Amino acid sequence: MKQYGKYLFLLPGLLVLTLFMIIPIAGTILSTFFDAGSFTLAGYMQYLQDPYFLNILWVTLRTSLLTTLICILLAFPAAYYISKCRPRMKMILLLLSIFPLLTSPVVRSFSWMVILGKGGIIDNTMALFGSDTSISILYTPTAILIGLVHLFLPLSIITLVGVMENIGDDVVEAAKSLGASASTTFWHILLPLSVPGLMTGSILVFVGSFTAYTTPALLGGRESVISTFLYQNAVTLNDWQLASVVATIMIVLSFVVIGIMNWLAGKVAVRGGNIRG
Amino acid sequence: MSHVSLQNVAVAYQKTNILENFNLDIPEGELVSLLGPSGCGKTTTLRLVAGFLQSHQGSIQVGGKDYTTVPVNKRNFGFVFQNYALFPHMSIFDNIAFGLRQRKVSKKDTYTKVMEMLELVGLQHFENRFPKELSGGQKQRVAIARALVINPDLLLFDEPLSNLDANLRVSMRSEIRRIQQESGIAAIYVSHDQEECFSISDRVAIMNKGVIEQLDHPAAIYHRPRTSFVASFIGFKNFLRFDRRSENGQKPIFYKGDSTFAVSYEKDTGSMTGVIRPDDIRIKPAGPPVTENELSGTIITAIFLGRSYQYEVKTEHGSFTANQEMTIPFQSGDSVVLDMPPHKWVLVEESEVPSYAG
Ligand SMILES: Nc1ncnc2c1ncn2[C@@H]1O[C@H](COP(=O)(O)OP(=O)(O)OP(=O)(O)O)[C@@H](O)[C@H]1O
Ligand SMILES: [Mg+2]
């Protein structure tokens, strides 16, 4: 009885999830396999053989993976620095780093449009160096990438700081006292011990940028990503069946990537539990 | 020539000097412990020697080599941390092998050495476990093994046993001592526990506010504290500042008000402050006239300590603490006489001391 008691705590969350997530999603996924009451894979065949769609899928995947990678690289040193600050400074820096989250993605995307677009700072600077001004970063995958990194960097930093705070100074000092150089300490101590945070952060960033709508819609111009494509299908073309197929593909792909990340993480980290010894 | 030599080193945090003109010499193979009140700079000293802190003056030499500016990872000193600082993501084997791998020891030798170490600390067959899967005492032994396996030039222990329970502390400290003596590596050992320091060390350094007040063999510290700070730190609860002294044959006689005290302390530096342990004062019921080395007073409190009672006795020269085993204890308010024999007195130099009688 006692052992099972703790599962009661799961009940409310489970109920909400089942009602508002699992059932609708299952419904969406199931609906993609049936056309007029009979089983079919036609929806999938149609998409997975369509080069236009495959290209969108590829651009989306590439952009979100790149976003994840860049976020990790940028967040890691920043997070390490923040985690080693004194409490007061840490508060200030953390607040500063999540500050971008407080403005809406729409506003931020519009700012990037000004910066990246024709006559923007980048454009003008390029012109100064004699570059052909007709090349604008705006409305390219690069613009989407920049927007997404800006959007998700705070998330990476917060999750990493959370983990790095728990890596004791003494563990790092122990490594040094045993003769480890700075780079060995990084690769063999800091990095493996940060994996839980890297994992959480990366999954959040990946899923977030894989499914992001506003930023790609505004910065990508006619360049579609999978979520804007889905929107077109569902709202503009009013084809909910096909939109569901796209949604299912997104869900499956997300899980595949998360699975791969988990597997990679297992390679670097941590048996016998997390952080503190 | 001493193996470890700190000369005139100094450390400051945010402009507050923690260590100033600090000197310490340790001969080959000796274990010196640092003992002192919280915040006196023991950890700072250890971290300075380890290289985690830099001295802005003076020099640190070990085995004739100057280490003052050598970075931590080039020092080859074994550091045992208070909370073990094992690498949580590595097996016990990998934890111990870590230092050897930094030294490019071959796979085969690494294996042999790690296994030898595990045996030395009594953890055979634990190599595949992870730190989480060990008890506190076992982690402690891994930490020691990890520091020892690199064959360090010096061992540094920062309160290595403070997280363990009393029984384990006693057995671990003799183990540390045995390992240290077998390996013949000089060591600096920091602890709060006096008994631990006395039992484990060749010499003990009593520190106060970043200064070593006395560095001596444990028995010498225990019986012959040099300063009033050291005396009070190691349990001389009773202080008496005498008014004047006169030489009478071989024993000097000290005077305090109407009381006289003969003192037969061999290290007579001409000091005017005497200290005596609670255990060395005898309490007698008041009655016969008070003579030399006696002081009359009134019991204020009586505390049962188990083996003995501890009495707080008020006298004309302040209050005294005395321990006494007895079947029928004194009650508070009883008039008593304190007998403080000449050979129990120790004469100390005045130094800063928590409030005392006299
Ligand atoms: N990083 C730091 N920044 C500022 N002051 C510090 C720092 N570390 C230690 N101190 C100060 O230096 C003094 C000595 O500290 P230290 O840690 O050496 O004491 P300790 O003798 O080891 O004490 P304990 O027995 O409590 O461990 C203390 O007054 C402490 O407040
Ligand atoms: Mg300390």
Side-chain angles (χ1 to χ4, degrees), chain A residues 212-262:
Chain A
Y213 176 77
T214 319
T215 308
L218 291 176
L219 296 179
R222 297 201 0 247
E223 191 76 52
S224 283
V225 293
I226 198 158
S227 54
T228 51
F229 180 76
L230 184 133
Y231 178 82
Q232 281 161 18
N233 266 317
V235 177
T236 319
L237 308 178
N238 208 13
D239 189 341
W240 289 90
Q241 169 80 5
L242 287 182
S244 297
V245 171
V246 175
T248 307
I249 293 175
M250 280 175 86
I251 292 171
V252 170
L253 260 179
S254 297
F255 274 111
V256 167
V257 173
I258 290 172
I260 294 174
M261 283 179 175
N262 253 323

Side-chain angles (χ1 to χ4, degrees), chain B residues 35-37 40-41 206-213 229 351-353:
Chain B
L35 186 59
C40 71
I206 307 285
M207 284 181 70
N208 181 26
K209 298 202 170 155
V211 173
I212 294 183
E213 292 231 352
F229 171 80
S351 65
E352 176 248 5
V353 155

Side-chain angles (χ1 to χ4, degrees), chain A residues 39-203:
Chain A
F39 183 79
T40 173
L41 287 173
Y44 291 95
M45 299 316 272
Q46 181 188 335
Y47 276 119
L48 295 177
Q49 286 167 355
D50 175 6
Y52 175 67
F53 174 75
L54 287 179
N55 184 53
I56 290 176
L57 202 58
W58 165 239
V59 170
T60 314
L61 203 58
R62 190 188 58 192
T63 311
S64 40
L65 284 175
L66 266 177
T67 307
T68 312
L69 188 70
I70 295 174
C71 279
I72 291 175
L73 292 181
L74 292 181
F76 203 93
Y80 188 64
Y81 180 81
I82 293 175
S83 73
K84 293 297 159 233
C85 280
R86 286 140 156 263
R88 209 190 146 77
M89 193 61 189
K90 190 185 288 174
M91 260 272 287
I92 295 172
L93 289 176
L94 266 179
L95 276 178
L96 279 180
S97 47
I98 59 173
F99 198 72
L101 286 180
L102 304 180
T103 50
S104 98
V106 180
V107 174
R108 273 189 285 172
S109 297
F110 273 117
S111 319
W112 279 113
M113 289 169 81
V114 174
I115 295 170
L116 299 174
K118 268 197 199 316
I121 298 170
I122 306 271
D123 198 26
N124 285 341
T125 318
M126 301 281 257
L128 274 182
F129 292 102
S131 154
D132 179 358
T133 45
S134 67
I135 298 171
S136 161
I137 300 177
L138 190 59
Y139 305 137
T140 65
T142 312
I144 302 178
L145 185 64
I146 292 174
L148 287 176
V149 167
H150 185 213
L151 188 63
F152 287 115
L153 192 55
L155 216 56
S156 316
I157 293 180
I158 304 170
T159 45
L160 268 177
V161 168
V163 178
M164 285 177 162
E165 271 176 340
N166 288 325
I167 302 177
D169 286 337
D170 50 354
V171 182
V172 174
E173 288 180 343
K176 286 191 182 147
S177 80
L178 290 166
S181 62
S183 79
T184 310
T185 308
F186 175 82
W187 287 108
H188 291 278
I189 309 293
L190 279 180
L191 188 62
L193 290 180
S194 306
V195 163
L198 280 178
M199 275 301 301
T200 326
S202 301
I203 288 175

Side-chain angles (χ1 to χ4, degrees), chain A residues 86, chain B residues 11-14 16-19 34-47 53 82 158-159 190-192 207 210:
Chain A
R86 286 140 156 263
Chain B
V11 175
Y13 288 117
Q14 284 107 40
T16 320
N17 290 320
I18 306 298
L19 300 181
L34 306 180
L35 186 59
S38 188
C40 71
K42 305 181 293 289
T43 300
T44 305
T45 309
L46 217 56
R47 294 175 58 79
L53 294 171
Q82 179 172 3
D158 192 1
E159 306 198 30
V190 169
S191 173
H192 264 121
M207 284 181 70

Side-chain angles (χ1 to χ4, degrees), chain B residues 35-100:
Chain B
L35 186 59
S38 188
C40 71
K42 305 181 293 289
T43 300
T44 305
T45 309
L46 217 56
R47 294 175 58 79
L48 176 71
V49 177
F52 297 129
L53 294 171
Q54 291 280 318
S55 173
H56 53 80
Q57 62 175 61
S59 77
I60 299 172
Q61 308 218 336
V62 177
K65 183 171 176 243
D66 187 81
Y67 276 93
T68 317
T69 55
V70 175
V72 183
N73 56 335
K74 299 276 192 298
R75 286 197 186 203
N76 200 41
F77 299 163
F79 200 111
V80 181
F81 292 81
Q82 179 172 3
N83 41 5
Y84 326 125
L86 300 182
F87 306 129
H89 57 303
M90 294 184 193
S91 68
I92 300 312
F93 185 96
D94 290 335
N95 263 279
I96 301 177
F98 189 85
L100 296 173

